[in-house]
Amino acid sequence: MIYRVMSREFSIAMRRLAASPIFLLCAGVLLLSLAYSFYFHIPPQVDARGYDNIGWHLAQGLGYRESLDVPIERDIGMVRVGPGYQFFLAGVYKLFGHHYPPVWILQALFLSLSAFFTYLIAKEIFRESWAEFVGLIAAALVGFSPDLITVSAMLLTENVGIFCMILSVYLFLRLLRRGGWQFAFLFGVVFAVAAIVRTPAVFLFIPIAVVLLATRRWKDLVVAAFAIVMMLTPWTIRNYHLYHAFVPFSVNSGYNIYIGNHPGATGEQDTTPILTDYIDQFGIIKANQIATREGIQYILRDPIGFVRRSIVRASIYFSIARPTGFWFHLHGIAKAITLIASALYAAILFGLGFIGIGSIKKLPRGDRRRALFYSSLLFIMPLSLVGLVVETRYRFPVYPFFAIFAAYGLHLFRERKVSPKLLITVAALLGANTGFDVSENISRIFERISEL
């Protein structure tokens, strides 16, 4: 009798969920992402090829190696962001063989879940002024992002990294509301995975730790920190055994410092043959140390130049003139459509997002406090990059943060509560920033346009 009642209630709950707008939206995201992946059938290239090689070698039991033809101390696999995504690929290949469709299916699911957890985060933030419209628009801006749909069809770290990052933020917000060491531990585990997949995510722990300290949640902070250290320890021990150096993630911090800060640096990811020479001559650990030293010395010799390059990088990060669409699998009308869609998406996301951020003061006190915390997570993402290197792809992880504020901004438009002064200010700043980016990088932009 009890079993029949519970079974009937579960069945009713599942039918309600299947008919809910957020479930239908996430199902649409899943199907669209799958359709894109299987239509273009994108082979791994450049970074994706490196991740693919490492994942396949791991699955075969050959170790964390990108190339088997060079000594491990000169193998550039450790220079790539990781190792989380590479181990994800290894697990998929171990189960299904060296085939890409299982990866696409899982990444389509991760994108759909990223949209779902963005919806749940919006519900946590706007607890006192919740409107279903805000959550659904936020989820749609993540799930139907032309940029995120594209990378979900590639072997790149962003898809898995964004999912883990958003899940960890949701768990943290739940921790703040409910408490309990179990939530703190689970948050720490997921956050560590996010950082292992995309190292810049580690900077999100700064505002998170500040909140825990400010609210005197010492136990939660200790438990979360313990979980993070626990997750990082095996990989760190492995690296110390192999390289005799402390390497909790990958070996690329020095390279990024040098690439963004050397004579001729543009602020973007440029090929610098001298780093390859360093690796060939000294190995990846010593080369990274040399790159770190030379990059910092260059900054200290020309601090004003460093500030200027950082401004240029920040401009690139938020520029509407930097759409993604120059992927190798796109040609002709497909490339043009992708470029237009990506540019429009950036304009909508940043425009409405900044309007939403600028209107936080309109929220009730509790919502305002949570929104301010969420905005601190948003701004820590570009701050972690503007001193190093910026590419359009590097801003993808900030999209879910902007999406919630963009949805809130659109909600204010519906309610006719947007300040004209704020609207003009945001439009002027975004326009001026894009104009500055174009003026600073006109030759590179025209080089891209010529590819069409």
Side-chain angles (χ1 to χ4, degrees):
M1 178 68 178
I2 296 176
Y3 172 79
R4 287 199 298 270
V5 171
M6 292 181 63
S7 178
R8 185 168 63 252
E9 290 180 351
F10 179 78
S11 178
I12 293 172
M14 288 298 99
R15 284 199 297 271
R16 286 176 178 173
L17 176 63
S20 66
I22 185 59
F23 179 85
L24 296 174
L25 186 151
C26 291
V29 171
L30 178 65
L31 293 174
L32 181 60
S33 180
L34 286 173
Y36 189 96
S37 298
F38 280 90
Y39 177 81
F40 282 103
H41 212 279
I42 306 168
Q45 298 284 341
V46 196
D47 289 345
R49 187 189 295 118
Y51 302 139
D52 181 42
N53 289 340
I54 297 170
W56 180 232
H57 289 152
L58 279 170
Q60 292 178 295
L62 300 174
Y64 194 88
R65 303 286 299 275
E66 181 168 334
S67 174
L68 302 177
D69 300 327
V70 299
I72 193 168
E73 63 270 14
R74 286 175 171 76
D75 182 64
I76 65 169
M78 281 293 293
V79 178
R80 300 193 183 279
V81 173
Y85 185 70
Q86 294 86 327
F87 277 101
F88 161 72
L89 290 178
V92 175
Y93 294 158
K94 192 73 173 179
L95 290 172
F96 303 103
H98 198 187
H99 306 293
Y100 304 133
V103 179
W104 300 336
I105 292 170
L106 286 173
Q107 291 189 164
L109 179 61
F110 288 147
L111 179 59
S112 179
L113 289 173
S114 294
F116 177 68
F117 280 107
T118 300
Y119 170 88
L120 293 183
I121 289 173
K123 205 167 186 177
E124 285 291 323
I125 293 173
F126 302 107
R127 202 180 305 159
E128 300 171 35
S129 55
W130 171 245
E132 185 82 358
F133 175 85
V134 173
L136 291 174
I137 293 299
L141 285 170
V142 172
F144 295 113
S145 162
D147 297 340
L148 299 185
I149 288 174
T150 301
V151 295
S152 73
M154 298 180 180
L155 270 60
L156 294 173
T157 62
E158 280 77 9
N159 176 277
V160 178
I162 288 171
F163 165 68
C164 294
M165 184 178 67
I166 289 303
L167 177 56
S168 71
V169 171
Y170 171 71
L171 290 172
F172 179 73
L173 291 173
R174 293 283 290 177
L175 170 65
L176 290 181
R177 181 148 67 101
R178 294 186 57 178
W181 69 267
Q182 298 93 336
F183 263 111
F185 184 82
L186 185 58
F187 156 73
V189 169
V190 177
F191 182 85
V193 174
I196 292 170
V197 176
R198 289 292 303 173
T199 311
V202 75
F203 289 95
L204 293 175
F205 198 72
I206 297 173
I208 285 172
V210 168
V211 168
L212 291 176
L213 290 171
T215 54
R216 300 181 181 276
R217 305 178 78 126
W218 316 108
K219 181 179 177 180
D220 291 336
L221 179 59
V222 170
V223 171
F226 171 79
I228 293 169
V229 172
M230 180 192 73
M231 293 294 293
L232 296 177
T233 296
W235 178 249
T236 305
I237 292 174
R238 176 261 186 193
N239 292 334
Y240 190 84
H241 176 73
L242 283 175
Y243 305 110
H244 306 290
F246 177 72
V247 183
F249 300 105
S250 57
V251 188
N252 63 359
S253 57
Y255 302 122
N256 286 331
I257 292 173
Y258 182 84
I259 290 171
N261 300 282
H262 70 273
T266 64
E268 299 181 68
Q269 190 72 257
D270 295 314
T271 302
T272 50
I274 191 171
L275 293 181
T276 303
D277 295 339
Y278 285 163
I279 293 173
D280 291 339
Q281 185 176 355
F282 303 108
I284 57 173
I285 300 296
K286 184 65 174 178
N288 186 61
Q289 294 170 350
I290 295 172
T292 301
R293 184 175 65 249
E294 293 192 1
I296 292 175
Q297 287 175 349
Y298 186 71
I299 292 171
L300 295 176
R301 286 198 304 269
D302 184 19
I304 295 177
F306 170 72
V307 171
R308 189 182 188 284
R309 287 190 302 276
S310 297
I311 292 172
V312 169
R313 285 185 283 252
S315 174
I316 293 171
Y317 194 98
F318 293 104
S319 175
I320 297 169
R322 296 300 182 119
T324 57
F326 297 98
W327 302 105
F328 49 84
H329 69 282
L330 294 173
H331 307 280
I333 188 66
K335 178 175 284 191
I337 290 173
T338 303
L339 285 168
I340 293 171
S342 181
L344 286 174
Y345 176 77
I348 292 169
L349 189 74
F350 293 150
L352 288 174
F354 280 119
I355 287 173
I357 293 170
S359 303
I360 288 177
K361 61 184 178 181
K362 297 178 182 292
L363 291 168
R365 183 178 179 182
D367 291 357
R368 182 166 65 249
R369 187 171 60 249
R370 288 184 290 272
L372 285 171
F373 163 70
Y374 201 65
S375 68
S376 71
L377 298 178
L378 184 157
F379 287 112
I380 205 74
M381 298 302 290
L383 284 174
S384 68
L385 294 173
V386 294
L388 304 174
V389 183
V390 169
E391 290 284 341
T392 304
R393 179 161 65 95
Y394 297 173
R395 72 189 185 189
F396 290 178
V398 85
Y399 285 179
F401 297 99
F402 263 109
I404 288 177
F405 290 113
Y408 173 53
L410 186 60
H411 173 68
L412 292 176
F413 264 108
R414 288 180 73 213
E415 300 292 320
R416 297 183 180 180
K417 294 180 180 178
V418 175
S419 161
K421 181 180 178 180
L422 177 61
L423 176 61
I424 293 170
T425 301
V426 169
L429 288 175
L430 282 178
N433 178 71
T434 300
F436 176 76
D437 175 39
V438 172
S439 67
E440 286 290 313
N441 301 280
I442 188 69
S443 60
R444 182 167 293 232
I445 291 174
F446 271 112
E447 178 185 340
R448 286 291 196 178
I449 293 174
S450 67
E451 294 180 18
L452 296 175

